[in-house]
């Protein structure tokens, strides 16, 4: 999703591409926050979300834990530290 907020055409992404993992910003200042990212996740319906664009400077207050709470455990939230990788 890059530096965006939630938008209705995310439903088209689901219909056309059926992504298994979505990279969604959760910082909440220049981009969507955890609440909006949870709605985007409902539109896209991935198996997992890799949160991006958060925690790098004070205005970006959204956290993966907040996203997890908004999702009520319905979609996995991948948590990695800087320098880690996922497989």
């Amino acid at each position: 999703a890059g530096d965006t907020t939630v938008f209705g055409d995310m439903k088209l992404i689901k219909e056309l591409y059926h992504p298994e993992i979505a990279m969604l910003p959760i910082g909440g200042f220049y981009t969507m926050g955890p609440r909006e990212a949870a709605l985007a996740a409902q539109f896209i319906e991935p198996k997992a979300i890799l949160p991006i664009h958060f925690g790098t400077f004070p205005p970006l207050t959204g956290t993966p834990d907040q996203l997890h709470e908004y999702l009520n455990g319905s979609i996995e939230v991948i948590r990695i530290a800087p320098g880690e990788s996922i497989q």
Side-chain angles (χ1 to χ4, degrees), residues 23-85:
M23 296 173 63
L24 299 175
I26 62 166
F29 186 65
Y30 295 113
T31 65
M32 65 182 108
R35 179 174 166 240
E36 295 87 359
L39 181 58
Q42 289 176 12
F43 288 171
I44 300 169
E45 295 183 11
K47 293 180 182 177
I49 299 169
L50 177 60
I52 60 172
H53 297 277
F54 70 95
T56 54
F57 67 106
L60 302 180
T61 59
T63 67
D65 288 338
Q66 291 170 327
L67 175 59
H68 179 76
E69 287 179 30
Y70 280 113
L71 291 169
N72 295 315
S74 63
I75 299 172
E76 177 188 2
V77 176
I78 300 169
R79 293 171 175 87
I80 61 172
E84 288 184 339
S85 62

